[in-house]
Structures are given as C-alpha cells and as structure tokens.
Short mmCIF file of all heavy atoms in Angstrom, two decimals:
data_model
loop_
_atom_site.label_atom_id
_atom_site.label_comp_id
_atom_site.label_asym_id
_atom_site.label_seq_id
_atom_site.Cartn_x
_atom_site.Cartn_y
_atom_site.Cartn_z
N CYS J 1 -18.26 -137.55 -24.17
CA CYS J 1 -17.17 -138.50 -24.34
C CYS J 1 -15.88 -137.82 -23.92
O CYS J 1 -15.58 -136.71 -24.34
CB CYS J 1 -17.13 -138.96 -25.77
SG CYS J 1 -15.88 -140.19 -26.07
N VAL J 2 -15.11 -138.48 -23.08
CA VAL J 2 -13.83 -137.93 -22.62
C VAL J 2 -12.78 -138.31 -23.66
O VAL J 2 -12.55 -139.47 -23.93
CB VAL J 2 -13.47 -138.48 -21.24
CG1 VAL J 2 -12.14 -137.92 -20.80
CG2 VAL J 2 -14.56 -138.15 -20.24
N ASP J 3 -12.14 -137.30 -24.26
CA ASP J 3 -11.15 -137.55 -25.29
C ASP J 3 -9.84 -138.02 -24.67
O ASP J 3 -9.51 -137.68 -23.55
CB ASP J 3 -10.92 -136.28 -26.10
CG ASP J 3 -12.11 -135.89 -26.92
OD1 ASP J 3 -12.91 -136.79 -27.26
OD2 ASP J 3 -12.28 -134.69 -27.20
N GLY J 4 -9.10 -138.81 -25.45
CA GLY J 4 -7.78 -139.24 -25.00
C GLY J 4 -7.79 -140.43 -24.08
O GLY J 4 -6.75 -140.80 -23.55
N MET J 5 -8.92 -141.05 -23.84
CA MET J 5 -8.99 -142.22 -22.97
C MET J 5 -9.36 -143.45 -23.79
O MET J 5 -10.25 -143.38 -24.64
CB MET J 5 -10.02 -142.03 -21.85
CG MET J 5 -9.64 -141.02 -20.84
SD MET J 5 -10.84 -141.09 -19.51
CE MET J 5 -10.32 -139.75 -18.52
N ASP J 6 -8.69 -144.54 -23.50
CA ASP J 6 -9.05 -145.75 -24.20
C ASP J 6 -10.28 -146.39 -23.53
O ASP J 6 -10.77 -145.91 -22.51
CB ASP J 6 -7.89 -146.75 -24.24
CG ASP J 6 -7.43 -147.18 -22.86
OD1 ASP J 6 -7.90 -146.62 -21.87
OD2 ASP J 6 -6.61 -148.11 -22.78
N ASN J 7 -10.81 -147.41 -24.16
CA ASN J 7 -12.02 -148.04 -23.69
C ASN J 7 -11.89 -148.63 -22.29
O ASN J 7 -12.82 -148.56 -21.48
CB ASN J 7 -12.44 -149.13 -24.70
CG ASN J 7 -13.93 -149.25 -24.79
OD1 ASN J 7 -14.65 -148.38 -24.37
ND2 ASN J 7 -14.37 -150.35 -25.36
N GLN J 8 -10.74 -149.21 -21.99
CA GLN J 8 -10.52 -149.83 -20.67
C GLN J 8 -10.56 -148.75 -19.58
O GLN J 8 -11.15 -148.96 -18.53
CB GLN J 8 -9.18 -150.55 -20.65
CG GLN J 8 -8.92 -151.23 -19.32
CD GLN J 8 -7.58 -151.96 -19.30
OE1 GLN J 8 -6.81 -151.89 -20.26
NE2 GLN J 8 -7.32 -152.64 -18.22
N THR J 9 -9.95 -147.62 -19.83
CA THR J 9 -9.95 -146.54 -18.84
C THR J 9 -11.36 -146.03 -18.59
O THR J 9 -11.74 -145.76 -17.45
CB THR J 9 -9.05 -145.39 -19.31
OG1 THR J 9 -7.73 -145.90 -19.57
CG2 THR J 9 -8.96 -144.29 -18.27
N LYS J 10 -12.15 -145.93 -19.65
CA LYS J 10 -13.54 -145.49 -19.47
C LYS J 10 -14.34 -146.49 -18.65
O LYS J 10 -15.14 -146.08 -17.81
CB LYS J 10 -14.19 -145.31 -20.84
CG LYS J 10 -13.64 -144.13 -21.61
CD LYS J 10 -14.28 -144.03 -22.99
CE LYS J 10 -13.66 -142.92 -23.79
NZ LYS J 10 -14.24 -142.84 -25.15
N TRP J 11 -14.09 -147.78 -18.84
CA TRP J 11 -14.79 -148.79 -18.05
C TRP J 11 -14.35 -148.72 -16.57
O TRP J 11 -15.20 -148.83 -15.67
CB TRP J 11 -14.52 -150.19 -18.58
CG TRP J 11 -15.49 -150.59 -19.66
CD1 TRP J 11 -15.24 -150.68 -20.98
CD2 TRP J 11 -16.88 -150.90 -19.48
NE1 TRP J 11 -16.37 -151.03 -21.65
CE2 TRP J 11 -17.38 -151.17 -20.76
CE3 TRP J 11 -17.71 -150.98 -18.37
CZ2 TRP J 11 -18.72 -151.53 -20.94
CZ3 TRP J 11 -19.04 -151.32 -18.58
CH2 TRP J 11 -19.53 -151.59 -19.85
N ILE J 12 -13.08 -148.51 -16.34
CA ILE J 12 -12.60 -148.41 -14.95
C ILE J 12 -13.23 -147.21 -14.26
O ILE J 12 -13.70 -147.31 -13.12
CB ILE J 12 -11.06 -148.32 -14.94
CG1 ILE J 12 -10.46 -149.65 -15.37
CG2 ILE J 12 -10.55 -147.91 -13.56
CD1 ILE J 12 -8.96 -149.62 -15.60
N ILE J 13 -13.27 -146.07 -14.93
CA ILE J 13 -13.90 -144.88 -14.36
C ILE J 13 -15.38 -145.13 -14.11
O ILE J 13 -15.93 -144.75 -13.06
CB ILE J 13 -13.68 -143.66 -15.27
CG1 ILE J 13 -12.22 -143.24 -15.23
CG2 ILE J 13 -14.57 -142.48 -14.85
CD1 ILE J 13 -11.85 -142.16 -16.21
N SER J 14 -16.05 -145.80 -15.03
CA SER J 14 -17.49 -146.10 -14.86
C SER J 14 -17.74 -146.98 -13.64
O SER J 14 -18.68 -146.74 -12.87
CB SER J 14 -18.03 -146.79 -16.11
OG SER J 14 -17.94 -145.95 -17.22
N VAL J 15 -16.90 -147.98 -13.43
CA VAL J 15 -17.05 -148.89 -12.29
C VAL J 15 -16.78 -148.12 -10.98
O VAL J 15 -17.52 -148.26 -10.01
CB VAL J 15 -16.14 -150.11 -12.42
CG1 VAL J 15 -16.07 -150.89 -11.11
CG2 VAL J 15 -16.59 -151.00 -13.55
N ILE J 16 -15.75 -147.30 -10.99
CA ILE J 16 -15.42 -146.51 -9.78
C ILE J 16 -16.60 -145.58 -9.45
O ILE J 16 -17.00 -145.47 -8.26
CB ILE J 16 -14.12 -145.72 -9.98
CG1 ILE J 16 -12.93 -146.69 -10.00
CG2 ILE J 16 -13.95 -144.67 -8.88
CD1 ILE J 16 -11.63 -146.04 -10.42
N LEU J 17 -17.16 -144.92 -10.44
CA LEU J 17 -18.28 -144.01 -10.19
C LEU J 17 -19.52 -144.75 -9.73
O LEU J 17 -20.27 -144.25 -8.88
CB LEU J 17 -18.57 -143.18 -11.44
CG LEU J 17 -17.51 -142.16 -11.82
CD1 LEU J 17 -17.85 -141.49 -13.13
CD2 LEU J 17 -17.33 -141.14 -10.73
N ALA J 18 -19.75 -145.95 -10.24
CA ALA J 18 -20.88 -146.76 -9.79
C ALA J 18 -20.71 -147.16 -8.32
O ALA J 18 -21.67 -147.13 -7.53
CB ALA J 18 -21.04 -147.99 -10.66
N LEU J 19 -19.49 -147.52 -7.94
CA LEU J 19 -19.23 -147.88 -6.53
C LEU J 19 -19.42 -146.67 -5.61
O LEU J 19 -20.00 -146.79 -4.53
CB LEU J 19 -17.83 -148.46 -6.38
CG LEU J 19 -17.60 -149.82 -7.00
CD1 LEU J 19 -16.11 -150.19 -6.94
CD2 LEU J 19 -18.45 -150.89 -6.32
N ILE J 20 -18.93 -145.53 -6.05
CA ILE J 20 -19.10 -144.31 -5.23
C ILE J 20 -20.57 -143.96 -5.10
O ILE J 20 -21.04 -143.63 -3.99
CB ILE J 20 -18.32 -143.14 -5.88
CG1 ILE J 20 -16.81 -143.38 -5.74
CG2 ILE J 20 -18.70 -141.81 -5.23
CD1 ILE J 20 -15.96 -142.39 -6.51
N ALA J 21 -21.34 -144.08 -6.18
CA ALA J 21 -22.78 -143.79 -6.10
C ALA J 21 -23.48 -144.77 -5.16
O ALA J 21 -24.34 -144.37 -4.37
CB ALA J 21 -23.43 -143.86 -7.51
N SER J 22 -23.08 -146.03 -5.22
CA SER J 22 -23.70 -147.04 -4.32
C SER J 22 -23.43 -146.71 -2.86
O SER J 22 -24.30 -146.87 -2.02
CB SER J 22 -23.14 -148.42 -4.64
OG SER J 22 -23.46 -148.81 -5.93
N LEU J 23 -22.24 -146.23 -2.58
CA LEU J 23 -21.91 -145.85 -1.20
C LEU J 23 -22.64 -144.59 -0.78
O LEU J 23 -23.19 -144.50 0.32
CB LEU J 23 -20.40 -145.66 -1.05
CG LEU J 23 -19.55 -146.91 -1.15
CD1 LEU J 23 -18.05 -146.55 -1.17
CD2 LEU J 23 -19.85 -147.85 -0.01
N LEU J 24 -22.66 -143.59 -1.64
CA LEU J 24 -23.28 -142.31 -1.29
C LEU J 24 -24.79 -142.41 -1.12
O LEU J 24 -25.37 -141.70 -0.30
CB LEU J 24 -22.96 -141.25 -2.35
CG LEU J 24 -21.55 -140.70 -2.38
CD1 LEU J 24 -21.42 -139.68 -3.50
CD2 LEU J 24 -21.18 -140.06 -1.06
N TYR J 25 -25.43 -143.26 -1.89
CA TYR J 25 -26.88 -143.37 -1.81
C TYR J 25 -27.35 -144.52 -0.91
O TYR J 25 -28.50 -144.89 -0.94
CB TYR J 25 -27.47 -143.51 -3.21
CG TYR J 25 -27.44 -142.20 -3.97
CD1 TYR J 25 -26.43 -141.96 -4.89
CD2 TYR J 25 -28.37 -141.22 -3.74
CE1 TYR J 25 -26.38 -140.75 -5.58
CE2 TYR J 25 -28.35 -140.01 -4.41
CZ TYR J 25 -27.34 -139.78 -5.33
OH TYR J 25 -27.29 -138.57 -5.99
N SER J 26 -26.45 -145.01 -0.07
CA SER J 26 -26.83 -146.08 0.87
C SER J 26 -27.49 -145.46 2.11
O SER J 26 -27.20 -144.32 2.50
CB SER J 26 -25.59 -146.88 1.28
OG SER J 26 -24.76 -146.11 2.10
N PRO J 27 -28.37 -146.21 2.76
CA PRO J 27 -28.99 -145.73 3.99
C PRO J 27 -27.97 -145.40 5.09
O PRO J 27 -28.17 -144.44 5.85
CB PRO J 27 -29.90 -146.89 4.43
CG PRO J 27 -30.18 -147.61 3.17
CD PRO J 27 -28.94 -147.48 2.33
N PHE J 28 -26.88 -146.17 5.13
CA PHE J 28 -25.84 -145.88 6.14
C PHE J 28 -25.27 -144.48 5.94
O PHE J 28 -25.10 -143.73 6.89
CB PHE J 28 -24.72 -146.93 6.07
CG PHE J 28 -23.54 -146.60 6.93
CD1 PHE J 28 -23.62 -146.76 8.30
CD2 PHE J 28 -22.40 -146.09 6.38
CE1 PHE J 28 -22.54 -146.43 9.10
CE2 PHE J 28 -21.32 -145.78 7.16
CZ PHE J 28 -21.38 -145.94 8.53
N PHE J 29 -24.95 -144.11 4.71
CA PHE J 29 -24.38 -142.80 4.44
C PHE J 29 -25.37 -141.69 4.75
O PHE J 29 -24.98 -140.65 5.31
CB PHE J 29 -23.89 -142.69 3.00
CG PHE J 29 -23.13 -141.41 2.73
CD1 PHE J 29 -21.84 -141.26 3.17
CD2 PHE J 29 -23.74 -140.35 2.06
CE1 PHE J 29 -21.15 -140.08 2.95
CE2 PHE J 29 -23.07 -139.17 1.83
CZ PHE J 29 -21.76 -139.03 2.29
N PHE J 30 -26.66 -141.90 4.42
CA PHE J 30 -27.65 -140.88 4.74
C PHE J 30 -27.78 -140.70 6.26
O PHE J 30 -27.89 -139.58 6.75
CB PHE J 30 -29.02 -141.23 4.14
CG PHE J 30 -29.14 -140.85 2.70
CD1 PHE J 30 -29.14 -141.78 1.70
CD2 PHE J 30 -29.24 -139.52 2.33
CE1 PHE J 30 -29.25 -141.42 0.38
CE2 PHE J 30 -29.34 -139.13 1.01
CZ PHE J 30 -29.36 -140.10 0.03
N SER J 31 -27.73 -141.80 7.00
CA SER J 31 -27.79 -141.69 8.47
C SER J 31 -26.56 -140.97 9.01
O SER J 31 -26.67 -140.13 9.91
CB SER J 31 -27.87 -143.10 9.10
OG SER J 31 -29.07 -143.71 8.75
N LEU J 32 -25.40 -141.28 8.46
CA LEU J 32 -24.16 -140.64 8.88
C LEU J 32 -24.19 -139.15 8.55
O LEU J 32 -23.83 -138.31 9.39
CB LEU J 32 -22.98 -141.32 8.17
CG LEU J 32 -21.58 -140.93 8.57
CD1 LEU J 32 -21.30 -141.36 9.99
CD2 LEU J 32 -20.60 -141.60 7.62
N LEU J 33 -24.62 -138.82 7.35
CA LEU J 33 -24.71 -137.42 6.94
C LEU J 33 -25.71 -136.65 7.81
O LEU J 33 -25.45 -135.52 8.22
CB LEU J 33 -25.13 -137.36 5.47
CG LEU J 33 -24.89 -136.09 4.70
CD1 LEU J 33 -23.42 -135.76 4.65
CD2 LEU J 33 -25.45 -136.21 3.30
N ASP J 34 -26.84 -137.29 8.11
CA ASP J 34 -27.85 -136.65 8.96
C ASP J 34 -27.33 -136.42 10.37
O ASP J 34 -27.56 -135.37 10.96
CB ASP J 34 -29.10 -137.53 8.99
CG ASP J 34 -30.23 -136.85 9.72
OD1 ASP J 34 -30.62 -135.72 9.32
OD2 ASP J 34 -30.74 -137.42 10.71
N ALA J 35 -26.56 -137.39 10.87
CA ALA J 35 -26.00 -137.24 12.22
C ALA J 35 -25.02 -136.08 12.29
O ALA J 35 -24.88 -135.44 13.34
CB ALA J 35 -25.31 -138.54 12.65
N GLY J 36 -24.35 -135.77 11.20
CA GLY J 36 -23.42 -134.65 11.19
C GLY J 36 -24.09 -133.31 10.90
O GLY J 36 -23.70 -132.29 11.45
N PHE J 37 -25.07 -133.31 10.04
CA PHE J 37 -25.71 -132.05 9.64
C PHE J 37 -26.78 -131.56 10.60
O PHE J 37 -26.93 -130.37 10.79
CB PHE J 37 -26.32 -132.20 8.23
CG PHE J 37 -25.42 -131.72 7.15
CD1 PHE J 37 -24.33 -132.49 6.75
CD2 PHE J 37 -25.63 -130.50 6.54
CE1 PHE J 37 -23.49 -132.07 5.76
CE2 PHE J 37 -24.78 -130.06 5.53
CZ PHE J 37 -23.72 -130.84 5.14
N ARG J 38 -27.54 -132.49 11.18
CA ARG J 38 -28.66 -132.05 12.01
C ARG J 38 -28.19 -131.24 13.23
O ARG J 38 -28.72 -130.16 13.47
CB ARG J 38 -29.52 -133.24 12.46
CG ARG J 38 -30.82 -132.82 13.09
CD ARG J 38 -31.66 -133.94 13.54
NE ARG J 38 -31.96 -134.84 12.45
CZ ARG J 38 -32.89 -135.76 12.50
NH1 ARG J 38 -33.61 -135.88 13.58
NH2 ARG J 38 -33.10 -136.57 11.49
N PRO J 39 -27.20 -131.71 14.00
CA PRO J 39 -26.76 -130.89 15.14
C PRO J 39 -26.05 -129.61 14.72
O PRO J 39 -26.17 -128.59 15.39
CB PRO J 39 -25.80 -131.80 15.91
CG PRO J 39 -25.85 -133.13 15.30
CD PRO J 39 -26.54 -133.00 13.98
N THR J 40 -25.34 -129.66 13.61
CA THR J 40 -24.55 -128.48 13.18
C THR J 40 -25.40 -127.42 12.54
O THR J 40 -25.30 -126.24 12.87
CB THR J 40 -23.45 -128.94 12.20
OG1 THR J 40 -22.70 -130.00 12.77
CG2 THR J 40 -22.53 -127.80 11.88
N PHE J 41 -26.24 -127.81 11.58
CA PHE J 41 -27.02 -126.84 10.79
C PHE J 41 -28.51 -126.88 11.09
O PHE J 41 -29.24 -126.04 10.57
CB PHE J 41 -26.79 -127.08 9.30
CG PHE J 41 -25.36 -126.91 8.88
CD1 PHE J 41 -24.58 -128.03 8.58
CD2 PHE J 41 -24.79 -125.68 8.80
CE1 PHE J 41 -23.26 -127.91 8.20
CE2 PHE J 41 -23.46 -125.53 8.42
CZ PHE J 41 -22.69 -126.65 8.12
N GLY J 42 -28.96 -127.85 11.84
CA GLY J 42 -30.37 -127.96 12.14
C GLY J 42 -31.21 -128.46 10.95
O GLY J 42 -32.41 -128.25 10.91
N ILE J 43 -30.57 -129.09 10.00
CA ILE J 43 -31.27 -129.57 8.81
C ILE J 43 -31.42 -131.07 8.90
O ILE J 43 -30.44 -131.80 9.07
CB ILE J 43 -30.47 -129.23 7.53
CG1 ILE J 43 -30.28 -127.72 7.42
CG2 ILE J 43 -31.16 -129.78 6.29
CD1 ILE J 43 -29.33 -127.31 6.32
N LYS J 44 -32.65 -131.55 8.81
CA LYS J 44 -32.91 -132.98 8.82
C LYS J 44 -32.75 -133.52 7.40
O LYS J 44 -33.44 -133.05 6.48
CB LYS J 44 -34.30 -133.27 9.35
CG LYS J 44 -34.61 -134.73 9.45
CD LYS J 44 -36.01 -134.95 10.02
CE LYS J 44 -36.30 -136.44 10.09
NZ LYS J 44 -37.61 -136.74 10.58
N LEU J 45 -31.85 -134.49 7.20
CA LEU J 45 -31.59 -135.02 5.87
C LEU J 45 -32.15 -136.44 5.67
O LEU J 45 -32.30 -136.87 4.52
CB LEU J 45 -30.07 -135.04 5.59
CG LEU J 45 -29.40 -133.67 5.65
CD1 LEU J 45 -27.90 -133.83 5.48
CD2 LEU J 45 -29.96 -132.77 4.60
N ALA J 46 -32.40 -137.14 6.75
CA ALA J 46 -32.88 -138.53 6.62
C ALA J 46 -33.59 -138.93 7.91
O ALA J 46 -33.41 -138.33 8.97
CB ALA J 46 -31.70 -139.46 6.36
N SER J 47 -34.39 -140.00 7.78
CA SER J 47 -35.03 -140.57 8.94
C SER J 47 -34.00 -141.39 9.73
O SER J 47 -32.91 -141.65 9.22
CB SER J 47 -36.18 -141.48 8.49
OG SER J 47 -35.67 -142.62 7.85
N PRO J 48 -34.33 -141.79 10.94
CA PRO J 48 -33.39 -142.62 11.72
C PRO J 48 -32.98 -143.91 11.02
O PRO J 48 -31.91 -144.43 11.24
CB PRO J 48 -34.13 -142.89 13.02
CG PRO J 48 -35.09 -141.76 13.16
CD PRO J 48 -35.50 -141.40 11.74
N SER J 49 -33.85 -144.41 10.15
CA SER J 49 -33.55 -145.66 9.44
C SER J 49 -32.69 -145.41 8.20
O SER J 49 -32.29 -146.34 7.52
CB SER J 49 -34.83 -146.38 9.06
OG SER J 49 -35.57 -145.60 8.13
N GLY J 50 -32.41 -144.15 7.87
CA GLY J 50 -31.58 -143.82 6.72
C GLY J 50 -32.35 -143.51 5.46
O GLY J 50 -31.76 -143.36 4.40
N CYS J 51 -33.65 -143.36 5.55
CA CYS J 51 -34.46 -143.01 4.38
C CYS J 51 -34.35 -141.50 4.17
O CYS J 51 -34.74 -140.72 5.02
CB CYS J 51 -35.92 -143.41 4.62
SG CYS J 51 -36.94 -143.13 3.20
N PRO J 52 -33.82 -141.08 3.03
CA PRO J 52 -33.57 -139.64 2.82
C PRO J 52 -34.83 -138.86 2.51
O PRO J 52 -35.79 -139.38 1.98
CB PRO J 52 -32.62 -139.63 1.62
CG PRO J 52 -33.00 -140.85 0.86
CD PRO J 52 -33.37 -141.86 1.89
N ASN J 53 -34.78 -137.57 2.85
CA ASN J 53 -35.82 -136.66 2.39
C ASN J 53 -35.26 -135.89 1.20
O ASN J 53 -34.16 -136.18 0.71
CB ASN J 53 -36.30 -135.73 3.52
CG ASN J 53 -35.19 -134.86 4.04
OD1 ASN J 53 -34.15 -134.70 3.44
ND2 ASN J 53 -35.43 -134.26 5.20
N PHE J 54 -36.00 -134.93 0.69
CA PHE J 54 -35.60 -134.24 -0.52
C PHE J 54 -34.27 -133.50 -0.32
O PHE J 54 -33.41 -133.50 -1.20
CB PHE J 54 -36.70 -133.27 -0.96
CG PHE J 54 -36.45 -132.66 -2.29
CD1 PHE J 54 -36.52 -133.41 -3.44
CD2 PHE J 54 -36.16 -131.31 -2.40
CE1 PHE J 54 -36.27 -132.85 -4.68
CE2 PHE J 54 -35.92 -130.73 -3.63
CZ PHE J 54 -35.97 -131.49 -4.79
N ALA J 55 -34.10 -132.85 0.82
CA ALA J 55 -32.85 -132.12 1.08
C ALA J 55 -31.66 -133.07 1.10
O ALA J 55 -30.58 -132.72 0.61
CB ALA J 55 -32.95 -131.37 2.40
N GLY J 56 -31.83 -134.25 1.66
CA GLY J 56 -30.76 -135.24 1.69
C GLY J 56 -30.39 -135.70 0.30
O GLY J 56 -29.20 -135.84 -0.02
N LEU J 57 -31.39 -135.92 -0.53
CA LEU J 57 -31.10 -136.34 -1.91
C LEU J 57 -30.38 -135.25 -2.68
O LEU J 57 -29.44 -135.52 -3.43
CB LEU J 57 -32.41 -136.69 -2.62
CG LEU J 57 -33.06 -138.02 -2.24
CD1 LEU J 57 -34.41 -138.15 -2.91
CD2 LEU J 57 -32.17 -139.18 -2.59
N ILE J 58 -30.79 -134.02 -2.51
CA ILE J 58 -30.12 -132.91 -3.20
C ILE J 58 -28.67 -132.79 -2.76
O ILE J 58 -27.76 -132.63 -3.57
CB ILE J 58 -30.89 -131.58 -2.95
CG1 ILE J 58 -32.27 -131.63 -3.59
CG2 ILE J 58 -30.11 -130.39 -3.46
CD1 ILE J 58 -32.26 -131.77 -5.10
N LEU J 59 -28.43 -132.86 -1.43
CA LEU J 59 -27.08 -132.73 -0.91
C LEU J 59 -26.16 -133.85 -1.41
O LEU J 59 -25.05 -133.58 -1.86
CB LEU J 59 -27.08 -132.69 0.61
CG LEU J 59 -25.70 -132.52 1.26
CD1 LEU J 59 -25.09 -131.18 0.88
CD2 LEU J 59 -25.82 -132.65 2.75
N VAL J 60 -26.64 -135.08 -1.38
CA VAL J 60 -25.82 -136.19 -1.84
C VAL J 60 -25.60 -136.11 -3.35
O VAL J 60 -24.51 -136.44 -3.83
CB VAL J 60 -26.46 -137.54 -1.43
CG1 VAL J 60 -25.75 -138.70 -2.09
CG2 VAL J 60 -26.40 -137.69 0.07
N THR J 61 -26.58 -135.63 -4.09
CA THR J 61 -26.37 -135.44 -5.53
C THR J 61 -25.31 -134.41 -5.82
O THR J 61 -24.48 -134.57 -6.71
CB THR J 61 -27.72 -135.05 -6.21
OG1 THR J 61 -28.65 -136.09 -5.95
CG2 THR J 61 -27.55 -134.84 -7.68
N ILE J 62 -25.29 -133.33 -5.04
CA ILE J 62 -24.24 -132.29 -5.21
C ILE J 62 -22.88 -132.88 -4.85
O ILE J 62 -21.89 -132.63 -5.55
CB ILE J 62 -24.57 -131.05 -4.36
CG1 ILE J 62 -25.80 -130.35 -4.94
CG2 ILE J 62 -23.39 -130.12 -4.27
CD1 ILE J 62 -26.37 -129.26 -4.06
N ILE J 63 -22.80 -133.67 -3.78
CA ILE J 63 -21.54 -134.31 -3.40
C ILE J 63 -21.07 -135.24 -4.51
O ILE J 63 -19.88 -135.22 -4.89
CB ILE J 63 -21.71 -135.08 -2.08
CG1 ILE J 63 -21.93 -134.10 -0.91
CG2 ILE J 63 -20.49 -135.95 -1.80
CD1 ILE J 63 -22.34 -134.77 0.39
N TYR J 64 -21.99 -136.03 -5.06
CA TYR J 64 -21.63 -136.94 -6.16
C TYR J 64 -21.15 -136.16 -7.39
O TYR J 64 -20.16 -136.51 -8.00
CB TYR J 64 -22.83 -137.81 -6.52
CG TYR J 64 -22.53 -138.81 -7.61
CD1 TYR J 64 -21.75 -139.91 -7.36
CD2 TYR J 64 -23.02 -138.62 -8.90
CE1 TYR J 64 -21.46 -140.82 -8.36
CE2 TYR J 64 -22.74 -139.54 -9.90
CZ TYR J 64 -21.96 -140.63 -9.63
OH TYR J 64 -21.68 -141.51 -10.62
N LEU J 65 -21.83 -135.07 -7.73
CA LEU J 65 -21.43 -134.24 -8.84
C LEU J 65 -20.01 -133.71 -8.66
O LEU J 65 -19.20 -133.72 -9.60
CB LEU J 65 -22.41 -133.08 -9.00
CG LEU J 65 -22.08 -132.05 -10.08
CD1 LEU J 65 -22.38 -132.64 -11.44
CD2 LEU J 65 -22.89 -130.78 -9.86
N LEU J 66 -19.69 -133.25 -7.47
CA LEU J 66 -18.34 -132.73 -7.20
C LEU J 66 -17.29 -133.86 -7.29
O LEU J 66 -16.20 -133.63 -7.82
CB LEU J 66 -18.29 -132.07 -5.82
CG LEU J 66 -19.11 -130.80 -5.69
CD1 LEU J 66 -19.13 -130.33 -4.24
CD2 LEU J 66 -18.60 -129.71 -6.62
N ILE J 67 -17.62 -135.05 -6.80
CA ILE J 67 -16.69 -136.16 -6.90
C ILE J 67 -16.43 -136.54 -8.37
O ILE J 67 -15.29 -136.76 -8.78
CB ILE J 67 -17.19 -137.36 -6.09
CG1 ILE J 67 -17.13 -137.08 -4.61
CG2 ILE J 67 -16.39 -138.64 -6.43
CD1 ILE J 67 -17.80 -138.11 -3.73
N VAL J 68 -17.50 -136.61 -9.17
CA VAL J 68 -17.36 -136.91 -10.59
C VAL J 68 -16.49 -135.86 -11.27
O VAL J 68 -15.59 -136.17 -12.05
CB VAL J 68 -18.73 -136.99 -11.28
CG1 VAL J 68 -18.59 -137.04 -12.78
CG2 VAL J 68 -19.50 -138.21 -10.77
N ARG J 69 -16.72 -134.62 -10.95
CA ARG J 69 -15.93 -133.53 -11.55
C ARG J 69 -14.47 -133.65 -11.18
O ARG J 69 -13.58 -133.45 -12.02
CB ARG J 69 -16.51 -132.18 -11.12
CG ARG J 69 -15.80 -131.02 -11.71
CD ARG J 69 -16.00 -130.99 -13.22
NE ARG J 69 -15.21 -129.91 -13.77
CZ ARG J 69 -14.42 -130.03 -14.82
NH1 ARG J 69 -14.32 -131.16 -15.47
NH2 ARG J 69 -13.73 -128.99 -15.25
N LEU J 70 -14.18 -133.99 -9.93
CA LEU J 70 -12.78 -134.13 -9.52
C LEU J 70 -12.10 -135.32 -10.21
O LEU J 70 -10.93 -135.24 -10.57
CB LEU J 70 -12.71 -134.31 -7.99
CG LEU J 70 -12.97 -133.07 -7.17
CD1 LEU J 70 -13.03 -133.41 -5.70
CD2 LEU J 70 -11.91 -132.02 -7.43
N ILE J 71 -12.84 -136.41 -10.38
CA ILE J 71 -12.27 -137.58 -11.02
C ILE J 71 -11.96 -137.30 -12.51
O ILE J 71 -10.95 -137.74 -13.04
CB ILE J 71 -13.20 -138.80 -10.89
CG1 ILE J 71 -13.17 -139.30 -9.44
CG2 ILE J 71 -12.82 -139.93 -11.84
CD1 ILE J 71 -14.15 -140.40 -9.14
N LEU J 72 -12.80 -136.54 -13.17
CA LEU J 72 -12.63 -136.28 -14.59
C LEU J 72 -11.86 -135.02 -14.92
O LEU J 72 -11.94 -134.52 -16.04
CB LEU J 72 -14.04 -136.22 -15.26
CG LEU J 72 -14.84 -137.51 -15.20
CD1 LEU J 72 -16.20 -137.33 -15.83
CD2 LEU J 72 -14.09 -138.67 -15.85
N LEU J 73 -11.09 -134.51 -13.97
CA LEU J 73 -10.29 -133.30 -14.26
C LEU J 73 -9.29 -133.55 -15.35
O LEU J 73 -8.51 -134.23 -15.55
CB LEU J 73 -9.60 -132.83 -13.00
CG LEU J 73 -10.45 -131.94 -12.11
CD1 LEU J 73 -9.68 -131.52 -10.88
CD2 LEU J 73 -10.92 -130.70 -12.83
#
C-alpha cells in the first residue's frame, strides 16, 4: 500500500498501469521490439505475427517493472 495517497489517486495509478500493460503486452509492441532487437543484438523476441517467446516476455516484464517503479517514486 502506498502511503499518503487517497483512494482516487490509487485508482488513477491503477488505470494508468493497466493501460501501459495493455500496450506493452500487445502483439504490435512485441513486433516493434523484435524489429529493434533482432538486428542490433541478434535476439529473437517474437514471431512475425507478434507472438512473443520467453525472452520477449522477460524483457517486456522488466520494462514494465521499471515503468511501475518510476511511476511510484
């Protein structure tokens, strides 16, 4: 529980985080991330249709964790 926040603020943060998660775990984002990572690092993160593999899921989860941490500073 985050201290010092009223109930409305907690709901707003929850909705924002849900929207961010929906965007990060979308097939479009996985395809975009794969297009950037595969040529640069040689790591395949998703299929051409945007279906993630395990490495893609781990990377997006780390990105989401960092975003949550930044929002709750």
Side-chain angles (χ1 to χ4, degrees):
C1 184
V2 179
D3 293 333
M5 290 188 185
D6 61 352
N7 213 17
Q8 182 180 4
T9 304
K10 291 177 184 178
W11 273 107
I12 291 171
I13 290 173
S14 297
V15 168
I16 290 171
L17 291 175
L19 291 172
I20 291 171
S22 297
L23 291 173
L24 287 179
Y25 286 99
S26 69
F28 172 75
F29 187 76
F30 278 109
S31 295
L32 186 67
L33 198 61
D34 186 57
F37 265 76
R38 191 180 304 195
T40 307
F41 299 106
I43 301 171
K44 182 178 179 182
L45 300 175
S47 69
S49 65
C51 184
N53 61 15
F54 188 69
L57 286 174
I58 295 297
L59 181 63
V60 170
T61 301
I62 291 169
I63 292 170
Y64 182 73
L65 176 75
L66 293 173
I67 291 172
V68 169
R69 182 65 185 133
L70 287 174
I71 287 175
L72 297 178
L73 276 179

